[in-house]
Amino acid sequence: DGGITQSPKYLFRKEGQNVTLSCEQNLNHDAMYWYRQDPGQGLRLIYYSQIVNDFQKGDIAEGYSVSREKKESFPLTVTSAQKNPTAFYLCASQLAVGGNTIYFGEGSWLTVV
Amino acid sequence: KQEVTQIPAALSVPEGENLVLNCSFTDSAIYNLQWFRQDPGKGLTSLLLIQSSQREQTSGRLNASLDKSSGRSTLYIAASQPGDSATYLCAVKAAEGSQGNLIFGKGTKLSVKP
């Protein structure tokens, strides 16, 4: 089945640690996105990528990093510089940046312990 | 700066009732507007996408309308069912700049009682 796979579903991070969230899509989409969702809030854009080897900062990129070495993969690293990382992280993809329907993965919960 | 507001924040209705969810946005210069459904602890599923040149879109029991000049969209759900219980979010994409960024509302949490 075509879709977006995020892993792990649940992740716990200790203070000072970097963690990486995986996002893989087999939809042959060029554009990929990372959003953060806090309880009772809408989604906020962290980073997005229009094409392989290219990515742009979103509204809340500080403390996060990404890479786009392959079309189907867009991992997100939450670094120790992110002071309040506990949230629900959603990866999404789109045929191209523009007006097409956007598809979301099932999300990853990150908790700082 | 574009802001998206959804009212009400929560809604509880008996099964079978028709209902309307509201979404308003402050900048009418949008490229499109999407309605999404989110189940607890899950990702978002796109329900309807309305381009800026369109007035409405329909899918099954769902109908979404767009009035760009007044900065409003509504999602109409006919003959609601318990399975419709979820959070519904709307999001707008700006007409220029911001590349791929969608601006989301905080959502309306719908509960349909059997």
Side-chain angles (χ1 to χ4, degrees):
Chain A
D1 286 348
I4 302 173
T5 302
Q6 289 187 238
S7 63
K9 180 68 177 177
Y10 300 96
L11 186 60
F12 298 90
R13 191 193 92 171
K14 294 182 180 179
E15 294 283 351
Q17 269 187 341
N18 292 352
V19 294
T20 297
L21 307 179
S22 170
C23 178
E24 303 279 330
Q25 55 96 0
N26 61 4
L27 300 168
N28 200 33
H29 286 171
D30 282 320
M32 296 187 74
Y33 307 84
W34 274 105
Y35 287 90
R36 168 180 172 143
Q37 186 178 31
D38 293 283
Q41 302 296 313
L43 280 66
R44 291 182 291 169
L45 183 66
I46 305 173
Y47 268 98
Y48 68 97
S49 169
Q50 299 184 64
I51 199 166
V52 174
N53 293 322
D54 172 79
F55 48 83
Q56 305 293 330
K57 292 182 179 180
D59 296 326
I60 55 166
E62 185 175 352
Y64 300 97
S65 66
V66 294
S67 63
R68 186 85 187 277
E69 297 177 0
K70 297 187 298 181
K71 185 176 185 177
E72 53 275 14
S73 179
F74 191 41
L76 173 74
T77 297
V78 185
T79 75
S80 57
Q82 171 50 240
K83 298 307 178 188
N84 185 24
T86 296
F88 188 50
Y89 290 87
L90 287 158
C91 179
S93 74
Q94 204 172 29
L95 189 60
V97 172
N100 308 84
T101 302
I102 188 169
Y103 298 86
F104 283 83
E106 288 291 280
S108 293
W109 290 94
L110 173 62
T111 303
V112 174
V113 297
Chain B
K1 179 184 176 185
Q2 178 74 274
E3 292 184 2
V4 179
T5 303
Q6 292 187 247
I7 295 174
L11 181 64
S12 182
V13 300
E15 182 177 4
E17 191 163 295
N18 302 327
L19 59 100
V20 174
L21 306 181
N22 297 294
C23 173
S24 61
F25 45 94
T26 54
D27 187 345
S28 61
I30 64 168
Y31 187 78
N32 62 41
L33 181 146
Q34 283 193 72
W35 282 93
F36 297 88
R37 170 185 172 135
Q38 185 177 31
D39 292 294
K42 302 288 188 180
L44 279 66
T45 300
S46 180
L47 298 173
L48 291 163
L49 183 151
I50 310 177
Q51 302 291 355
S52 62
S53 58
Q54 297 175 322
R55 296 283 294 182
E56 65 177 342
Q57 283 285 338
T58 298
S59 176
R61 294 182 294 110
L62 305 180
N63 176 276
S65 68
L66 175 64
D67 184 342
K68 214 172 61 163
S69 61
S70 67
R72 294 181 182 182
S73 176
T74 61
L75 179 66
Y76 174 83
I77 302 177
S80 59
Q81 303 170 358
D84 294 330
S85 297
T87 296
Y88 291 81
L89 297 101
C90 71
V92 300
K93 182 182 182 312
E96 293 185 10
S98 76
Q99 291 299 313
N101 197 9
L102 293 174
I103 306 299
F104 284 84
K106 295 181 179 180
T108 293
K109 186 174 181 179
L110 174 65
S111 178
V112 181
K113 306 294 186 183

